[in-house]
Amino acid sequence: MAISDGDGNTFVGWNAWLGSEMERLYVQKLNSNGDILWPANGVAASPTLGSVYRHFTLAADGAGGVYVVWRTAYIDLNGDGDTAETDKDLVVYSMFA
């Protein structure tokens, strides 16, 4: 997924599959020349491993940053490695330039 920030920059977001039902969402910011502005592998938007993130979207915040919104589909509720479907958590995460 990619969106413009309205000032010539682009935010790109993606899911990185890490195996064992673990994902992490990452975001990268590019300038109008396509040069990366954040660390080379992007910045982790999802704060923890152990969940599967679904239906994420990006929205420019109008100040050079981006909001990342997603639904947590699975989460390890008791830390034993077993996952249970929750499909109830909607998360909004703000990332600044």
Side-chain angles (χ1 to χ4, degrees), residues 2 8 26-27 29-30 36 39-40 44 52-54 58 60 66 69-71 77 85 87 96:
Y26 288 90
V27 178
K29 186 175 182 179
L30 308 168
I36 60 172
V52 177
Y53 305 101
R54 294 287 183 247
L58 305 174
V66 65
V69 181
W70 68 85
R71 185 184 78 189
L77 298 175
E85 188 168 345
D87 282 339
F96 296 97

Side-chain angles (χ1 to χ4, degrees), residues 11-97:
F11 291 103
V12 178
W14 67 93
N15 285 36
W17 180 254
L18 304 173
S20 299
E21 295 193 23
M22 291 193 303
E23 289 182 53
R24 185 161 260 175
L25 296 175
Y26 288 90
V27 178
Q28 180 57 264
K29 186 175 182 179
L30 308 168
N31 66 18
S32 59
N33 294 322
D35 300 319
I36 60 172
L37 300 178
W38 289 354
N41 293 324
V43 176
S46 52
T48 60
L49 295 174
S51 295
V52 177
Y53 305 101
R54 294 287 183 247
H55 311 293
F56 80 93
T57 192
L58 305 174
D61 68 3
V66 65
Y67 295 108
V68 185
V69 181
W70 68 85
R71 185 184 78 189
T72 300
Y74 298 92
I75 190 165
D76 183 354
L77 298 175
N78 58 14
D80 66 0
D82 292 330
T83 57
E85 188 168 345
T86 61
D87 282 339
K88 295 180 181 175
D89 298 327
L90 185 65
V91 179
V92 179
Y93 188 74
S94 179
M95 302 177 76
F96 296 97

